[in-house]
Each structure stands twice: as C-alpha cells, then as structure tokens.
Amino acid sequence: MGSSAKRKKEKKQDFQKPKLKVGKTKPKAANFTSTSFKAKSIVLTQSTLSTTAPSLDAQILHNVSLLKSKSDSQRKDALAFITNAIMEHRKGFPYQVGEIFKEACKLLLDRSDGVRNELLKLLTQLPAVEVTIHIAEPLLRIRAGMTSLAKGIRFTSYDALIWLLKGNGEEVVSSVGTWVKYLQSFQSVFAFHAKDPAITTNTSGWSNVPTSVQPIGSNDSKVLMKQTQALESFLRAGLIQSGEDSEVLAAQSAARSFPLWHTEYHTMPTRSKPFARLNLFGPPRSAEDEMYDDVDERRRVFAELGLYRTFAHGINTLKKQGGEVGRAASQVEKVLAEGMVDWDEDKEYEVNF
Amino acid sequence: MGKRKVGALEKVDADLPNLQHKIRRDPLSYQDDFSNQWNQYRSLIDVYLQSPSTSDDASIVSLRELIDFVSHVADCYPRVASGFADDLKNLLASHHADLESELRDKVVGSLVLIRKKEIIDSATLLTTLFPLLLTTASKSLRVLLFQKILSELRTANSKSTNHRLNRQVQTLLYDLLASDPTSPKGIWAVKLTRELWKRQIWSDTKAVEIMKEAALSQNEKVVCGGVRFFLGGDKEREEAAEESSDDDDTVDMAKLKHQAGISKKTKKKAADLKKAAATVKRKERKKKAPHPLNFSALHLLNDPQGFAEKLFFQHLYPQHPKVRLNLEQKLLVLQLVSRLVGLHKLTLIQLYSYFLKFLTPRQPSVTSFLASLAQATHNLVPPDALEPLVQKVANEFVSEAAAAEVASAGLNAIREICVRQPLAMNETLLQDLVMYRKSKDKGTMMAAKGLVSLYREVGAELLKKRDRGKEAALGLRSGALKERRFGESEEGGIEGLDLLEKFKEEERQRKRGEKGLPEDDDDDEALRIAEEEQEEVEGWKNWDAEDDDSDDSGGWINVESDGEDINISDSDDEKPPPAKKLRTSPSPTPKNGEGNDEKKQPSATPDPTTTAQRVVAISKLATTRILTPADLAKLNELRTQASIQSHLPAARRKQLQVAAQAAASRHADDAITAETISGLAALSSKATREEKIAHARGLKPGEQREKHQSTTAMRKAKKEAEGKSTTNKEKARKKNFLMTLGKAKRKGKRSLVETRKVLRGHLERQKRGGKRGNKG
C-alpha cells in the first residue's frame, strides 16, 4: 500500500532526525534496550588484593566459608584447596579437621558431580579418628542420598558410606536411629519385599509383573555393584564383632593408665553424642529410632523385625543374577551367614511393627 | 543476580514430576520408587529437624520438592505414607517461625492438598491452621492461612451445609473471644466470621453470637470489628449477593441459535448449544428459586436488650471505661446501641441523658450524635426522657444567631425525633420552631416546613389554628384526627383485602343482575348470606383434588339457609342475622347512630368513606370469614393487577405521591445517618454554575464527561451498541462515490420508457411500503 496520506506520514516519521538540544539528555532510540539490573549481591571475582600472602590458617578459614558459595566451581575449588592443604601439612595442620568435616558433609547432596567427587577425595584424606565425634552429621545425608533419584548422588552416598564404615564402622551402626533405618533404606533400594500378605494379594492380578525383583536403577549394574558393596560393609560392621571383646578392651585401657581409674569418663568423649542413649530431651523413640550399640542387640532387632529373612531371601535372588553383582551378593551372603551364625532361625519371632 | 533458584534435581536423568506422573497412572508398579522417595523425604526431614535454623539451601529445596511430590501421590500409598500428615503438622506447629518461607508455604499448601485428597478431614486441617494464624508473626503466612481457612470452609459448605464443622469452628472462635477478651487475637475471629457471613455460609445465630462477644470484648480493634459487623455486615452481604448474580456472564441464547443456523453444523456445536441452553435454564431456575431467608444480624440477636445494655454500660456510660475508644469508635458503638434500641424498641433510659452533654454545635461530628439520638427514639420511649433533649437541641441549635446549617440540622433532628415520638414536643416550643418557616435561609425554611407538615398529621392541636391547614382542621373537627396516646399502636391489616372485598361486591351485584333482582337490594340479608355461603363452598371445592364427593355439598346450603349463622364474629352490628333483625326493630336512637353509619344503610347516600370507616370495612372481611383458597388466589391476582396498573402512566402521579409518603416514613430497619440530618443544609448555599450543569447532566460531583460528541454520533453509537444497523439514509451517504457515478451517468441516458418504469416502480414500492413490503 503506502499510498494513503497516513501511511506516507508514518513513513516519513521513520527518517526524521530527532532534534538535539543543548543541556537536555539525548533522547533514547526506539530500539533502546535497558541493560540495567537489580541485584541483592554482586560477586566480584577478585575481592581481595594484598601484597602479603595470607597465612594458611586464614586461607583455610576462607575456603571453609567458600563451601557455602553459590557457585559450583568455587565450592569445588575450595574443597580441592582444603584437600591439598591437609595432604601437605599432615603434621601441623592449623585447623580443626572435625570442623572441616562437618561443613564438608553438607555437600554430600550437592547437585554438581565435580563437587561431590572432590568431596570424596577430601574425605579419604581425613583421619578416621578425628571424624568419629562428628559422625552423626553425614549419616542422615548419606541415607537421604541413597534413595535419591539422581544416580550421581547415590553413587557418592555409597562411596561415603563405605569410607565411613571402613574407619568408624562400630560408631556408624551404633548411633541413634541408624541401624534399622539404614536397613530399611537398603531394603527399599534393593526392592526386597517382606512376605507380606497384603502385597501378595495385591499382585494376584494377571497383568501384574512382579516388579520387586528389579531394584532401583537396575539397568545400571555399576550402581547395583556399589550398592551391594555398601550393604556388605554395613552388615559386616553391624553383625560381626570387631576385634576383641569390649570388656577385654576396657581391661587393656585400664592397665595402660594404671594408677588412674575411669580416666575415659573424665576426658573429652571420643564418640559423637555420648549421652544420646539417655534421650534426655527428645520425644520417646520408636524401635526405628532407638540406638543399638551392642552386636547382639542389633542381631536381635535384625531378626525380630523380619529383616533377616527378607534380606537372606533377597540376596539369594540377587546372587542368581550372576556376574559381578552375583559375586558381590555372595559376599553379602557370607557376611549374613557369619553374623547370624549363632542365631536360632527356627525360633519364631513376632513382627511387632 | 538475585537469589538463584536452586532446583535440587535439575539436569538429572529422572525428575520428580515425571515420577509423579507415572505413579498417578500406575501406582502399583512404582511402589518401590515411591518408597525410595519416601525414605529420602524422611531422612531429609530428619536432617532439617537436626538443625532447623542452619539448614543449607539445597537440602531445603529438595525437601520442598519431595513434600510436594509426596503430597501429590500420598493417596496412592496410604500405608506407606501414613505418617505424612502428622509430619507436616508437627513441622508447621513447632518450626513455623524459622521455616524458610517458600518451604513453609509449601507445607501449608500440601496440607490443604491432602485434605482435598481426603487423607485428613477438615476439622484436622482447621485445627492445625487456625492456631498458627493466631501465633505467627509473619504477615504473608497469616494472609495465606486466612485464605486457606476461608476456602476450606467454603468448600466444606459448598454442596450442603456442614453443620458439624461449622459448629466446631464457631465454638473455636467463640472460645477465642470469650477466653481472653483483652487480647487482640480476637480480630481473626471477627474477620473470619464477617467474611463467612458475607458469603452467606454462616447466617445463623451462632455467628451473630460470636460477633456479639467481639463487640463486648476489651480490645478496641475487636470491639470496632464487631460493631462494624452489626452496622454494615448485612449490607455487605446483600451487595456480595448482587455482585455474584451479576457476575455470571449471561449467555445470549438468541444469538447462539442464530449462529448455529448460519455456521457449519457439527456435533460439537450442537452439543455446545445444548449445554448453553441447559445453563440458561439452570440459571432461570436459580433466579426463580425462592430467595433464601436471610435474617439480618440485628434480628438474629438473642436478647437484644441485654446486649444493648452491656454495650452501653461497658463502652459509653462509665467515666473511665476498660477500653479507651476514640470519638469515632465511640460513635460507632453509639450508633449500634441506638440502632438496637430503635429497631427492637428497647428501653434504655440512661441513654437519653447520656446524649445531653454532646448536643452542642461545637461538638465534633454532632450530626452523627443527632442521628443516633433520632434513631434511639421510638414510640415507647417516655416523652419525659426526650423532652429535655428536644429542648436542648432547640436552644443550642435553633436560634436567629446560629448559622444556617446549624439551624437546619437542629430542626431536622427535632423533626426526626418527633416522627418517632410526637409526644416529645410541647406546644410553646413547637410554635416557636414553626416560626422559622419564614426564615430567609432555604434549608432552615424547608426544615421548619417539614416540622409543620409532620405535626399536621400527628398532633395538629399543638399547632396554631392558622398553621393547621385545611385537612388537619377538618379532621380535628370531625374527630377523625386524634392525638395518639403514649403506648398506643396501630392495627394491622392484610394487603389488598379491600380489593378483594370490592371485587366480591361487584360479583354479587353482577349475579343479581343476571337473576333479574334489583342490584342494590340489601334488605334480603338471608339471600345474601346464602349466596355467600354458596360462594364459599365453591371456593373450597376445587381446592382439594382428592375430595371427589363434592356433589353432596348442595345439601349444605339448605341447612345453612335456615338462618343459623355460624360466622365466628363478635361484631353483631355488621351482619345481624335476619331473625334478630325481625325481633328487635331498628330504633334510630342517637346511641345507635354510630353503628348505623358503619352498616351501610340503603337509604344512606354513597358518601366518600373516610379512612376510619375504610379500616373497619377491611377488618370485616378478614375477621368474619375464613378466606377460602379461591379467595386467596383471587387476592393474589388482584394484588398483582393493581401493581401492574400502578405502572401505567395514568397512575404515575399517584405513585409519586406514594413514594413521597414512603420517604417520609422510612422503614424502621434503615439506619439514619448524619447525612439525613445535615441534608437540608445543602439548600442553604447556592449551587455554582458548574454544579448545576453537572446536576442537570446527571453526573456525580467531580465526574467528567469523557468525550465530547455530537448528538447524532451518540445516537449512532447507542444503536450500534444495541446491535442495530444504520438507517438507509446513512447508508446512502456512506456509499462510495465511484459506485454512485455509474448510476448517475446511466440515469441521463435512459429512454422515456425506462424512466416511466422506474418511476412506476418507485410509486408501487411506496404503496407497498418498501421493497419487501410491510406485510411480513
């Protein structure tokens, strides 16, 4: 078109130059795009410039604080720095390792794979003794991670669990609410089902494929492998008496500090939450939440809740899969057999929950 | 960059919404996946509970997502997720203060969601949310909770009234108010009740009782909330109801049918049309459905006397009340008290002396006080209590020296008081006040005239002879206009009964005319009664459909016509039985004269009946006979007919008169406001030119006409809005010039025959009335 007067006028307007006036701001172009933005915080890449290098202490402090950073790479770098520092200054490390451990454990459920891998590297560098006192911190997160939808997080969780069990197996299985809840998590992860009449009736329909033999992420044998390994070390820590009897140990320590009597009660506690058993302030605990710090007790609960039978059955099925997983499963079976060797299987136990 | 949105599971191979979708489709197959997520949720909750204040961002986000997920699918696995509701409740109850806000909102939303999935019941939900509403310090949470509680109550009552839940919540609210009258938390009870009242979910005594408790509490905000509810709650409810009825977009059925005729016919369109027709029908039925009886809160009050007394003696009367109310709040309370007193005709003598100190022109918002005073007046208030008040108003407000507005307000207030209790005025004061009729100020003059016209009706003796006017003077002389004594009240009647009586009379005369009897022959009383009886029997006959043996009813007449009168009536003089009449010969004694007047003697000329006589005539029919269903039906018919006739132009003037009368005696339910008192003051000052123009245009003050348009353009727009087309003339004018050019050219070249044909055609068309004619 373009023939009507109106259109002509419109077209003419396109080519007109805006009049500039002295002392007035320049009019904005029609296609002007505002690039201003609002921010609650502005992160500068180089925030401190100083001629003298900060001390190692300050650097570690700074890096520990960076563990809470929003940026993935910053968290990762901070972890790497701390790992290096620990490796280099094994003797005179100026910072409380426990504190670092506490902070780092919060990254167990981190979204970024890099951060989690770096975290695992850090964990392997930490001395097991230093960690003992803070062991409650990672346990909950590891349990959450075990059932996560993201494969990477699951992987990290199992790795972390295996590492923890290696150094502090007894501590892990005997802390509050760990034993039963972890077993239940494993049960759900492996999709072992108790012989429950309610479920068997549910699956009676012809179209129902017995889904229970397919554990979570079963298409990935790597995860399954890791899972089985973790279960093995968990059961080993929980069911098999480690080393000598506790009475013998007590006698040995008493002999070591001979003139003194009951020294350990007057020193700093070596285990985390030493009075947790008393449950002074929490709500009354159920069977799940209770702490079981004795092997026999753990065995009893393991059998009483019907978990033993379920696990034995499930592992047996898993073993039949063969391959790497089957081999790992047979390891688990061995642990089960060893741990429950003196347990009377014929005895009927009521499932009380 | 603002706070980064952290999606805990973003960019991973599986995501929760996906799983949720799958679970919804096939819960059984995904049981293990659910139990995994359930375990994760449990451990994350434990992580959170370990250190509620220092939890990191990521775990909070994933906890939020998991809560959302579980709440969506919890109904598929009731066994596994049995503890979910309790978890959420505990989380909210113990950590609402330090929960991250988004997570907190999610928890509230999830609770509501699982209520919708009927995992928990309404009572549980409400008892969880309501205490939070009272305790939380966060405003956004309060808003959310209030909204959720309200919508929960609405949905619970949507299908049918959930009496049990309502009672539970009402008791909760009542206890909240009653347990601690001084706490400001009661405001939530007030807010909730008011909102539910507005939506007509609660419209019972219990709700009013809650508000009563609120009005009597000891926190000023709560008191004001309660009082405002009584003053404005019902109006709000009406407005809301109107709005909702306006809201639903009306379907234009005619248009839809037309469109269905034109456009392509598909099954879908046919179904749409059917659906639209159904909705229209439903709406019609809804409109025709009997209006739910909504009693106003003031009428639902149990023991209004006690309430008014308590309000007055708690908030107004004492020198140092427990709650310090400012003037505005005090006025509200006063308005409520006076409203109660006026509406229920309560006796609260101290109230009138309380007014005394406020009745000076310098008192702020004195017109409101005057309005309250007028409102608190009714015909059972002793005149002794009111007289000093009227005197004071007259002394303080109405004087030559006072400003015009003040005087007119004073006179108006006096008039409003005297409308309700005419005995509050004495002769000298009235005659003084009447003198202001001659005031130069228009407002004052009108107010004084109002007073005069009032007293012409209710107490003409108090006026000077020359002020009484013709009608009042005549009425006084004939004795029809009597001053009403203290406590005397008017008798009631049935609307339209006079119409029915007139109709019956006409019918009777018509029948007699058919039979050849003289139309106006009242001597034959027996015959008349027999006729009436027959009529009555006829009236009952068609009523009961099952009653088939009505053939025998002829026998009744014979028995009745003996002269036995079974009429249940005490007044012997109106229809004396014939036997009696024969025995006692009518002796025209002066004593009997009054009775004769009412009896409609045949010798008496049909004089214009005075109102007093008419009242008697009306009561006759209703008290002497039992109205048959046929009578009632006829009554209804006559009533509607009369109302239709009253809309005809001939009746316009009469109608206006009636409207004016109605305005004079306003309904007792309506409140008197300060505007009623000060209304006439507007007449005192001259309106400016602009105001006059705006008034003539029907615009409100301050409003602007949006566009200047020619009358034609406005007319055209109006027509277009009505969906009509333009006129032919308009079309011709709009026609493209080039199109007309050809015709004009050809016109010149026409042959004579062609021209003739055209002209003839034109003539013929004119006769027919257009191309298609006026026939169809």
Side-chain angles (χ1 to χ4, degrees), chain B residues 527-564:
Chain B
L527 196 68
R528 181 180 166 184
I529 288 167
E531 271 173 9
E532 270 176 14
E533 295 294 339
Q534 192 177 8
E535 207 175 289
E536 195 171 331
V537 168
E538 298 273 307
W540 287 107
K541 207 193 276 178
N542 294 334
W543 179 243
D544 211 4
E546 289 135 316
D547 197 3
D548 279 14
D549 50 2
S550 52
D551 304 24
D552 298 339
S553 55
W556 275 102
I557 306 166
N558 294 334
V559 176
E560 287 306 308
S561 57
D562 278 354
E564 282 289 326

Side-chain angles (χ1 to χ4, degrees), chain A residues 98-308:
Chain A
E99 291 302 314
I100 294 174
F101 176 64
K102 239 167 101 180
E103 283 302 315
C105 279
K106 288 183 179 164
L107 297 177
L108 271 168
L109 297 175
D110 201 279
R111 292 166 289 103
S112 153
D113 286 336
V115 173
R116 272 183 278 109
N117 289 337
E118 205 61 49
L119 175 65
L120 284 176
K121 275 184 206 160
L122 171 64
L123 288 181
T124 50
Q125 294 305 319
L126 292 178
V129 191
E130 299 268 356
V131 163
T132 316
I133 200 161
H134 299 292
I135 204 134
E137 201 66 35
L139 278 178
L140 282 171
R141 284 172 210 271
I142 289 176
R143 182 151 62 83
M146 274 164 62
T147 50
S148 172
L149 271 181
K151 208 194 321 174
I153 293 181
R154 256 181 288 155
F155 230 98
T156 314
S157 301
Y158 292 127
D159 276 336
L161 182 60
I162 290 168
W163 170 77
L164 260 185
L165 287 165
K166 207 185 281 171
N168 296 291
E170 179 63 23
E171 276 302 315
V172 169
V173 289
S174 63
S175 60
V176 183
T178 308
W179 178 241
V180 177
K181 281 193 172 170
Y182 263 81
L183 285 176
Q184 280 171 350
S185 284
F186 273 117
Q187 186 191 355
S188 119
V189 162
F190 279 105
F192 295 155
H193 283 299
K195 286 256 165 55
D196 195 348
I199 290 175
T200 44
T201 47
N202 270 348
T203 51
S204 63
W206 61 273
S207 66
N208 273 323
V209 185
T211 51
S212 52
V213 295
Q214 302 285 94
I216 183 171
S218 58
N219 51 1
D220 197 342
S221 62
K222 253 189 185 170
V223 182
L224 195 55
M225 183 63 207
K226 199 47 108 194
Q227 232 168 266
T228 323
Q229 281 172 1
L231 178 62
E232 189 216 324
S233 31
F234 187 73
L235 286 177
R236 189 181 292 282
L239 293 175
I240 297 171
Q241 186 87 40
S242 63
E244 300 96 284
D245 209 357
S246 55
E247 282 175 27
V248 178
L249 276 177
Q252 278 178 351
S253 70
R256 243 179 279 138
S257 55
F258 161 62
L260 301 170
W261 192 247
H262 282 171
T263 354
E264 67 270 26
Y265 299 122
H266 304 290
T267 54
M268 287 290 282
T270 49
R271 55 183 301 180
S272 84
K273 297 188 181 170
F275 301 112
R277 191 184 178 88
L278 300 176
N279 190 22
L280 289 175
F281 305 110
R285 287 173 185 157
S286 63
E288 290 178 57
D289 294 327
E290 195 50 75
M291 62 186 285
Y292 302 99
D293 56 357
D294 188 40
V295 179
D296 290 330
E297 225 175 333
R298 284 196 289 269
R299 281 181 195 156
R300 182 181 56 78
V301 171
F302 188 50
E304 262 181 22
L305 296 180
L307 291 167
Y308 177 37

Side-chain angles (χ1 to χ4, degrees), chain B residues 75-197:
Chain B
D75 55 329
C76 302
Y77 309 103
R79 252 168 53 98
V80 181
S82 57
F84 185 57
D86 288 332
D87 277 351
L88 293 187
K89 270 196 292 186
N90 293 337
L91 196 62
L92 211 52
S94 43
H95 297 291
H96 64 87
D98 44 30
L99 270 176
E100 189 251 349
S101 68
E102 225 170 320
L103 178 60
R104 187 186 61 196
D105 293 356
K106 178 57 79 187
V107 173
V108 173
S110 300
L111 270 173
V112 174
L113 186 67
I114 59 174
R115 156 74 200 107
K116 269 183 205 152
K117 293 181 184 293
E118 299 195 332
I119 294 169
I120 55 173
D121 58 346
S122 311
T124 322
L125 177 65
L126 291 174
T127 46
T128 314
L129 298 187
F130 193 70
L132 272 185
L133 181 68
L134 302 182
T135 47
T136 182
S138 149
K139 192 178 178 186
S140 62
L141 180 60
R142 280 199 302 258
V143 170
L144 180 76
L145 287 173
F146 186 72
Q147 180 215 333
K148 294 290 183 201
I149 289 173
L150 199 65
S151 67
E152 176 51 33
L153 279 169
R154 279 181 75 188
T155 44
N157 282 299
S158 62
K159 281 204 179 116
S160 62
T161 321
N162 188 346
H163 287 292
R164 217 171 126 242
L165 179 71
N166 286 349
R167 210 166 43 235
Q168 233 168 343
V169 178
Q170 280 166 347
T171 317
L172 195 72
L173 297 186
Y174 187 86
D175 288 347
L176 171 70
L177 283 167
S179 60
D180 187 9
T182 49
S183 88
K185 283 171 186 170
I187 199 71
W188 290 105
V190 173
K191 275 188 173 179
L192 207 59
T193 313
R194 179 153 196 173
E195 201 60 34
L196 289 166
W197 181 269

Side-chain angles (χ1 to χ4, degrees), chain B residues 3 62 66 97 136 237 255 314 316 364 382 404 425 432 445 453 462 532 535 553 567-568 700 739 752 774:
Chain B
K3 200 175 174 186
S62 43
L66 275 167
T136 182
R237 179 171 70 176
K255 198 173 180 183
Q314 189 173 327
L316 299 176
M425 181 65 80
D432 259 7
M445 183 260 282
S453 62
L462 297 183
E532 270 176 14
E535 207 175 289
S553 55
N567 283 348
I568 316 152
K700 279 174 205 150
M739 286 161 86
L752 278 174
N774 283 337

Side-chain angles (χ1 to χ4, degrees), chain B residues 365-433:
Chain B
S365 55
V366 70
T367 45
S368 296
F369 278 103
L370 288 171
S372 295
L373 172 58
Q375 208 162 45
T377 314
H378 54 82
N379 63 351
L380 297 179
V381 180
D384 301 346
L386 289 173
E387 216 160 338
L389 288 168
V390 174
Q391 193 74 49
K392 175 138 196 220
V393 174
N395 289 345
E396 293 272 353
F397 288 79
V398 193
S399 71
E400 290 292 353
E405 290 87 4
V406 174
S408 78
L411 279 170
N412 221 355
I414 291 176
R415 198 185 83 91
E416 290 292 345
I417 295 167
C418 293
V419 166
R420 286 159 181 82
Q421 178 53 296
L423 299 176
M425 181 65 80
N426 61 34
E427 201 171 339
T428 39
L429 180 59
L430 180 63
Q431 283 169 11
D432 259 7
L433 293 178

Side-chain angles (χ1 to χ4, degrees), chain A residues 37-41 70-72 75 106 109 111 136-137 140-141 143-145 147-151 153-154 181 184-185 188-189 191 193 196 198-199 202-203 208 211-212 214 216 273, chain B residues 1-4 6-10 12-16 19 26 28-33 35-37 39-44 46-48 50-51 54-59 62 79:
Chain A
F37 62 90
K38 277 184 188 171
K40 270 188 185 166
S41 60
K70 301 267 182 205
S71 135
D72 292 350
R75 270 174 289 160
K106 288 183 179 164
L109 297 175
R111 292 166 289 103
E137 201 66 35
L140 282 171
R141 284 172 210 271
R143 182 151 62 83
T147 50
S148 172
L149 271 181
K151 208 194 321 174
I153 293 181
R154 256 181 288 155
K181 281 193 172 170
Q184 280 171 350
S185 284
S188 119
V189 162
H193 283 299
D196 195 348
I199 290 175
N202 270 348
T203 51
N208 273 323
T211 51
S212 52
Q214 302 285 94
I216 183 171
K273 297 188 181 170
Chain B
M1 268 181 25
K3 200 175 174 186
R4 194 164 46 91
V6 194
L9 296 167
E10 65 194 11
V12 293
D13 43 354
D15 55 342
L16 284 173
L19 182 59
D26 185 6
L28 213 55
S29 304
Y30 288 92
Q31 201 159 17
D32 296 324
D33 298 270
S35 74
N36 277 332
Q37 295 314 307
N39 277 333
Q40 200 189 357
Y41 150 77
R42 295 285 320 193
S43 12
L44 278 177
D46 288 347
V47 169
Y48 177 80
Q50 224 175 23
S51 56
T54 57
S55 276
D56 53 322
D57 249 10
S59 75
S62 43
R79 252 168 53 98

